[in-house]
Amino acid sequence: MRNNALRPIAAVTLIASGFVAAPALANNTAAAAAAPNRLGGIDRLGDFDTGTAEDVFEGDYVIVAVGAGYVSDYDGGDEYSVQYGGAVRGSVGGIGFATKGIGLELDLIPNLPGDIELSLGPEFRYRQTRTGDLKDDVVDLLPKLDKTFEVGIDAGISFKKLFTPMDSLAFGASKRWDVSGNGAGSNHNVSVSYSTALSKGMGAGVSLGASWYDDDYADYYYTITPEGSAATGGQLPTYNAKSGMKDWDARIFYGLDLDGDFRNGGLALAAALSYQRLQGSAAETPIVSMRGDRNQYAALLGVGYAF
């Protein structure tokens, strides 16, 4: 999680990855969080430099960000809207942290010398899927779900300077369990991302991710009970969801420091586009197959300040 030169680029791209503290984007876990929280870092942006510059990311630092995303009304919905939110990322006293949707990821492993970095720590997620009013008037008739709280573990490894002095390849995996007592089971995801500095004030990257869930998770979010079907007047038939793959996703992202140098902190912009393809019960539930779309898109834009 904590890295040098591409670290600020990675940190700013969180604006366009998991910042919106609203139900719709917070539910798009795989598409929203696949890569930016594990982007590897590069120690040699000086290759672009004509002199020395202070690096605010060498010690303790914090980045705060606000932004907007054009996202679906619920995970699998086919109606979209603009939603707003914020995010925080940083490192204090050797502990890295980053928000993920409505959640928090910690990295308890200090940075190591060399071109390989490891991250490991707990992860917390507050999930409010279909807990409020929805645009789809039929899905909105289903009984509201309770909010859930998930606790898990997140791990990653990144390899720096693969093709250039300023690129990184990162792999990550996480698993979380519902501890709210609502019986929402467990889910886990894996991701791979490639990022590179285009200059000392620009960076870009791509990522791929996938996620899976157990029977309890599938039943909680995707099953339609006889009572639920009756609540819709029979417009949605009963459905018994099963465990399996939830989705795969692909993302591209871009970061731009407004004064041309990420290392001195200050304001930066970020943007991202993502595509998510729902699988198994997540796609076959009538909530999606009859009322929504297994193809999910998101466009995100934000601004952050590093200090």
Side-chain angles (χ1 to χ4, degrees):
M1 178 190 291
R2 289 161 290 141
N3 305 296
N4 257 358
L6 277 187
R7 177 172 57 191
I9 298 171
V12 173
T13 58
L14 79 87
I15 308 165
S17 64
F19 62 88
V20 176
L25 189 57
N27 294 338
N28 292 332
T29 306
N37 289 317
R38 297 192 193 89
L39 292 180
I42 307 301
D43 295 327
R44 291 177 55 193
L45 270 186
D47 287 9
F48 286 117
D49 203 10
T50 56
T52 60
E54 178 185 1
D55 189 348
V56 299
F57 301 95
E58 286 294 340
D60 295 346
Y61 74 94
V62 176
I63 294 178
V64 294
V66 293
Y70 186 68
V71 295
S72 60
D73 190 35
Y74 63 90
D75 196 12
D78 62 357
E79 297 189 64
Y80 287 72
S81 62
V82 176
Q83 300 189 30
Y84 306 91
V88 179
R89 182 187 176 100
S91 177
V92 176
I95 303 297
F97 57 89
T99 55
K100 266 187 171 182
I102 310 179
L104 177 68
E105 172 192 332
L106 300 176
D107 179 8
L108 304 181
I109 297 182
N111 284 342
L112 301 175
D115 297 334
I116 299 178
E117 291 188 355
L118 304 175
S119 66
L120 178 67
E123 185 178 356
F124 310 92
R125 181 67 56 83
Y126 179 69
R127 192 185 295 271
Q128 43 184 7
T129 301
R130 300 200 337 264
T131 58
D133 294 335
L134 301 175
K135 286 186 174 182
D136 189 297
D137 55 356
V138 174
V139 178
D140 193 50
L141 294 173
L142 290 171
K144 305 303 180 188
L145 298 180
D146 292 325
K147 301 177 178 67
T148 61
F149 184 71
E150 300 172 356
V151 175
I153 188 168
D154 186 281
I157 182 171
S158 62
F159 303 89
K160 301 181 289 184
K161 305 177 186 177
L162 296 178
F163 306 110
T164 76
M166 292 147 291
D167 69 351
S168 176
L169 180 68
F171 299 88
S174 67
K175 185 173 180 67
R176 298 186 303 273
W177 295 264
D178 171 40
V179 296
S180 62
N182 293 321
S186 65
N187 62 94
H188 61 278
N189 75 280
V190 297
S191 65
V192 57
S193 64
Y194 176 79
S195 56
T196 185
L198 306 176
S199 72
K200 62 184 179 181
M202 272 193 292
V206 297
S207 71
L208 295 173
S211 64
W212 293 260
Y213 48 73
D214 66 6
D215 279 331
D216 288 338
Y217 183 103
D219 185 59
Y220 189 76
Y221 291 108
Y222 305 125
T223 285
I224 297 180
T225 64
E227 293 77 14
S229 177
T232 69
Q235 295 181 79
L236 294 179
T238 59
Y239 178 78
N240 186 25
K242 300 295 184 182
S243 62
M245 187 176 185
K246 177 182 181 290
D247 57 37
W248 63 265
D249 66 87
R251 301 184 61 252
I252 58 173
F253 46 90
Y254 172 81
L256 172 68
D257 188 88
L258 294 184
D259 71 0
D261 192 339
F262 279 112
R263 295 169 302 173
N264 61 11
L267 287 171
L269 301 176
L273 298 173
S274 71
Y275 169 74
Q276 178 190 27
R277 175 79 170 177
L278 298 178
Q279 304 291 312
S281 288
E284 295 165 2
T285 175
I287 298 168
V288 176
S289 63
M290 296 179 65
R291 302 298 304 183
D293 189 346
R294 67 186 301 166
N295 300 299
Q296 297 285 285
Y297 307 90
L300 306 149
L301 179 67
V303 58
Y305 187 87
F307 57 93

